[in-house]
Amino acid sequence: MFTELVTPMKELLKRTSAAIALNPPPEVAKQLLICIRLICRVFYSLHSHDLPEPFEDTLAEWMAEFHNYLNYENDALKETDMEKESVVDMVKTAICENINLYIEKFEEEFESYLGTFVQDVWSLLMKVRV
């Protein structure tokens, strides 16, 4: 079952990322980031019980994309209302939830990525202004 999902999901992630890399107008970028967030949520759901082997085989590609989005910034998409979460922040939240899941459930498989994500999350925390 998972084998049929991995390739289309991964392709959707890569194509959506490629579209975002073209710096589209803010409204288009916002919709593309909503797609990225949904892909992250599906990823989480599929991994919440076990690590499907087809995903394990492509883990480096997924983690590279997650790393890129934890470092993604787009001033045009910043929320002016400090009480609201921007779409960029929603993507970062979904990725942090995926990372946390991997730390809790798949420590051995995630071990080689841990240092990168600790640094990414630390950088995010340092940007938070109180």
Side-chain angles (χ1 to χ4, degrees):
M1 174 187 149
F2 290 111
T3 305
E4 297 87 26
L5 287 174
V6 173
T7 302
M9 253 182 81
K10 191 174 59 167
E11 280 304 309
L12 180 60
L13 177 64
K14 287 185 175 213
R15 288 179 186 213
T16 307
S17 292
I20 290 170
L22 295 174
N23 294 317
E27 193 53 44
V28 174
K30 184 176 181 178
Q31 294 304 312
L32 291 168
L33 286 165
I34 289 170
C35 290
I36 294 291
R37 181 183 174 275
L38 291 172
I39 293 167
C40 288
R41 300 309 307 141
V42 170
F43 182 93
Y44 183 93
S45 293
L46 292 173
H47 289 81
S48 61
H49 296 291
D50 194 16
L51 177 59
E53 188 175 327
F55 280 100
E56 187 175 356
D57 296 339
T58 60
L59 197 56
E61 295 172 74
W62 288 95
M63 294 302 146
E65 290 290 339
F66 291 166
H67 167 70
N68 288 338
Y69 283 104
L70 281 179
N71 293 290
Y72 178 80
E73 295 294 332
N74 186 332
D75 290 338
L77 298 177
K78 287 191 176 179
E79 190 61 54
T80 55
D81 183 352
M82 295 302 285
E83 298 295 317
K84 290 185 178 178
E85 186 177 27
S86 73
V87 68
V88 174
D89 289 337
M90 287 184 218
V91 169
K92 291 178 181 188
T93 299
I95 290 170
C96 286
E97 289 169 352
N98 287 341
I99 291 167
N100 188 57
L101 177 72
Y102 263 76
I103 289 170
E104 290 177 356
K105 290 190 157 224
F106 313 116
E107 183 179 345
E108 186 177 316
E109 292 84 354
F110 189 71
E111 185 176 4
S112 63
Y113 306 102
L114 184 61
T116 299
F117 285 108
V118 165
Q119 188 173 13
D120 290 345
V121 172
W122 182 256
S123 294
L124 288 174
L125 290 172
M126 296 304 291
K127 290 178 185 178
V128 174
R129 294 191 179 120
V130 186

